[in-house]
Amino acid sequence: MTTKTIPVSLPREVPLITQAQVLVVGGGPGGIGAAVAAARGGADTLLVEHYGFLGGMATAGEVNPFMPNHIDRQSLDTGIFEEWVERMAHYGGVRGDHTRTFDPNVARLAAEDLCLDAGVRLLYHHRAAHVESSDRRIRAVVLHSKSGLGAVRASQYIDSTGDGDVAALAGCAFHFGSEQTGGAQPMTLCFKLKLDRASAPDGKRDRDLYLLMRESMDDIQAAYRKAQEDGRIECPRENVLVFRGVDDDVVHFNTTRVIRKSSIKGDELSAAEVEARRQLRQIIDVLRSEVPIFKNARIYSIAPQIGIRESRRIIGRNYVTVEDYKAARRYPDAVARVRYGIDIHNPEGKGTTIIHLDPGVWYEIPWGSLLPRDTDNLAIGSRCISVDHAVHSSVRVMPPVCSLGQAAGTAAALAVKAGCDVSEVNGITLNTELRKAGRNLLEHDSDHAPTPVRSPEQQEKKLAAQSKAAGNFSA
Ligand SMILES: Cc1cc2nc3c(=O)[nH]c(=O)nc-3n(C[C@H](O)[C@H](O)[C@H](O)COP(=O)(O)OP(=O)(O)OC[C@H]3O[C@@H](n4cnc5c(N)ncnc54)[C@H](O)[C@@H]3O)c2cc1C
């Protein structure tokens, strides 16, 4: 995109749309957890969302299923995440009890139910475009909508945009992508195909069509790879990745892969949508023409937007690294426990790095990873917390992200009550509040030597070394 500039005459003043005690920007899994927790904590809470519905990647990105984050089949995301799933089940849109597949339409309804019941005020079709801040505090967020520009003032702010838009606009430092290459995980446009029972072999037409399709997986992979070699499929992903839809005859594809494009650059995000749909057309053509079970399959759905796995990671007051992950590190101010493994789709092309934790092992996310280093009345309630590239690939899945949001929202309400900023909320008090609200966290136990918060000096040193190595540190 050109770097040429032109003078503009943007307004020096904008209407104040409304005020709130807590403003949550972004209504994905993190924003749902944040807004519901803040409202339940007694704060007047406004949730602003770019789309006309909630769910973020779960709905607008049609990402599926909820990846398991369990110990001994017990969810580590008890609390608002599990309530969200229960509400979905009420509409009949969930399947499975461990790795749960869900209907994105139902996810929208259930998320809105939770927010409205908690007393959250919803403002759809508004997008954060600018942040007014001074003296380490956000003073207002300027939104853009069909009405033009307008501002919202709050006492405490939560960035649940996934991309860390609010934090970045407030001037918070962030990392982007891998420490070695600077590349973020690829984007993927999710879609679903509906199988035609008539395409099943004789005598098998009454079978679960998804399971029947899985019996053709070798043929599917062979056809895909051959088409890749011939140039008929340009998707760089190594294989076809599919999951079950809620219905037996629906196949969910997490297969397109757009590499080397940044989701926080408008023009590259737009180009990514076009590239992903080109890949989608090619994949569908090959499957329909070469794999009998897909012969008459038709498009069931295409996500409204391309899925974004990784973008900014806002530098916080603590920082969790892959060494902490491997050491299964615990913290006295833990706000989430995570067992889901490292899962890095190669930012440069083929391949996916997956590293599982041993059975029964988890690591923790400390409160300081949700608190931007550079702003005092802002917490991060979405995937873009202060962790490295590898840990982000683990914590980013929807169940723990919703729990991170719940922690940010709970803390923001505590701050409003205490008349302080969210960054002053004590992490051990927060951990206790979250446990009272049913979160599956552990009480600090002196037998498990906790890791002290990294001192700012240690953290500066570490970040400076990483920034030098990667050249991707930005303010
Ligand atoms: C292709 C793909 C596959 C995945 N597979 C799985 C999976 O199988 N299982 C799993 O559990 N997780 C999966 N994930 C991860 C998971 O979906 C995301 O990491 C998770 O949804 C992040 O939640 P979030 O709330 O941080 O952000 P998001 O879900 O991205 O939500 C952010 C919300 O903020 C809104 N927003 C953004 N910017 C602004 C702005 N400036 N102003 C106003 N609103 C704004 C957006 O519209 C959106 O609603 C996958 C992700 C992708 C991309």
Side-chain angles (χ1 to χ4, degrees):
M1 185 160 275
T2 172
T3 50
K4 196 175 163 192
T5 59
I6 57 159
V8 292
S9 47
L10 282 165
R12 292 184 60 82
E13 291 195 353
V14 299
L16 181 63
I17 301 172
T18 186
Q19 310 204 40
Q21 289 175 314
V22 175
L23 171 62
V24 179
V25 183
I32 295 162
V36 170
R40 285 184 185 168
D44 171 22
T45 304
L46 181 75
L47 172 53
V48 167
E49 165 55 44
H50 156 69
Y51 286 110
F53 53 86
L54 299 174
M57 286 299 131
T59 56
E62 276 210 25
V63 159
N64 229 307
F66 289 123
M67 283 298 168
N69 187 38
H70 288 67
I71 295 275
D72 296 334
R73 303 193 75 80
Q74 296 296 311
S75 170
L76 293 177
D77 300 295
T78 51
I80 293 168
F81 171 72
E82 289 298 336
E83 285 181 51
W84 186 23
V85 179
E86 270 169 37
R87 290 283 185 128
M88 289 183 216
H90 163 80
Y91 288 106
V94 188
R95 183 174 187 149
D97 56 348
H98 189 50
T99 302
R100 283 163 294 184
T101 298
F102 60 94
D103 175 345
N105 298 304
V106 160
R108 294 179 187 195
L109 294 178
E112 199 174 74
D113 284 345
L114 282 183
C115 287
L116 294 177
D117 286 357
V120 174
R121 291 192 282 141
L122 296 169
L123 188 59
Y124 289 129
H125 296 300
H126 282 69
R127 194 176 176 91
H130 174 74
V131 169
E132 282 293 314
S133 51
S134 60
D135 302 327
R136 297 182 55 89
R137 298 192 81 243
I138 296 182
R139 308 290 165 173
V141 172
V142 177
L143 307 175
H144 181 255
S145 76
K146 289 284 184 182
S147 318
L149 298 176
V152 175
R153 264 205 189 123
S155 147
Q156 304 304 310
Y157 296 82
I158 299 178
D159 187 336
S160 292
T161 62
D163 290 325
D165 286 5
V166 173
L169 289 167
C172 296
F174 61 85
H175 276 174
F176 185 96
S178 145
E179 291 77 17
Q180 281 74 43
T181 65
Q185 288 208 55
M187 290 181 258
T188 291
L189 179 66
C190 292
F191 65 94
K192 293 185 174 69
L193 294 183
K194 187 174 169 63
L195 299 168
D196 177 19
R197 215 158 269 286
S199 305
D202 285 346
K204 294 190 172 177
R205 299 226 162 102
D206 57 347
R207 290 266 310 272
D208 175 322
L209 284 188
Y210 179 78
L211 293 182
L212 195 61
M213 181 278 303
R214 289 227 55 119
E215 289 172 14
S216 309
M217 226 44 225
D218 288 347
D219 296 342
I220 292 169
Q221 303 298 10
Y224 174 84
R225 272 194 293 271
K226 174 83 176 44
Q228 246 181 347
E229 281 159 24
D230 297 349
R232 286 176 293 130
I233 285 182
E234 291 158 282
C235 174
R237 200 193 142 80
E238 61 279 12
N239 61 8
V240 175
L241 179 62
V242 290
F243 295 92
R244 180 189 262 299
V246 171
D247 297 323
D248 288 349
D249 57 351
V250 173
V251 185
H252 172 84
F253 286 78
N254 180 339
T255 300
T256 62
R257 177 171 284 190
V258 176
I259 56 171
R260 299 195 189 113
K261 287 206 165 35
S262 166
S263 64
I264 55 168
K265 292 187 178 160
D267 57 338
E268 293 190 19
L269 183 57
S270 169
E273 297 279 5
V274 176
E275 187 176 329
R277 277 192 284 273
R278 184 168 63 239
Q279 293 179 11
L280 172 153
R281 289 184 190 92
Q282 294 169 342
I283 293 165
I284 294 176
D285 280 352
V286 167
L287 291 179
R288 271 189 184 145
S289 59
E290 295 177 28
V291 183
I293 190 77
F294 281 107
K295 187 164 175 239
N296 295 312
R298 61 181 181 78
I299 294 172
Y300 180 81
S301 65
I302 300 175
Q305 76 147 81
I306 196 165
I308 299 164
R309 289 190 176 81
E310 184 188 13
S311 53
R312 301 182 185 98
R313 303 188 308 276
I314 307 302
I315 300 305
R317 298 168 194 224
N318 209 339
Y319 188 70
V320 181
T321 66
V322 69
E323 293 88 47
D324 301 319
Y325 168 94
K326 285 183 186 155
R329 194 133 293 168
R330 298 179 185 193
Y331 300 85
D333 61 344
V335 294
R337 293 204 279 158
V338 189
R339 218 202 104 57
Y340 185 73
I342 286 175
D343 174 7
I344 306 174
H345 298 236
N346 185 357
E348 307 301 325
K350 271 196 174 58
T352 305
T353 303
I354 296 183
I355 306 172
H356 294 295
L357 287 165
D358 287 340
V361 174
W362 73 89
Y363 69 97
E364 294 182 338
I365 298 292
W367 173 221
S369 277
L370 278 61
L371 287 174
R373 190 186 59 187
D374 304 320
T375 299
D376 293 335
N377 62 342
L378 173 68
I380 306 297
S382 56
R383 63 176 156 79
C384 49
I385 59 168
S386 183
V387 294
D388 69 11
H389 173 65
V391 175
H392 176 275
S393 77
S394 154
V395 73
R396 73 190 166 91
V397 291
M398 294 179 275
V401 167
C402 189
S403 297
L404 297 176
Q406 182 169 351
T410 304
L414 287 175
V416 167
K417 264 195 197 139
C420 66
D421 278 338
V422 68
S423 56
E424 295 171 77
V425 171
N426 178 286
I428 297 175
T429 310
L430 176 59
N431 170 289
T432 308
E433 281 299 310
L434 290 168
R435 282 187 290 107
K436 274 196 228 157
R439 290 279 297 105
N440 187 350
L441 293 168
L442 297 184
E443 188 174 359
H444 167 53
D445 167 0
S446 49
D447 288 346
H448 293 115
T451 310
V453 170
R454 265 193 193 101
S455 71
E457 294 71 32
Q458 285 170 314
Q459 182 165 320
E460 279 301 337
K461 226 168 131 188
K462 185 167 182 96
L463 294 178
Q466 279 175 344
S467 139
K468 201 171 159 207
N472 63 349
F473 187 75
S474 163

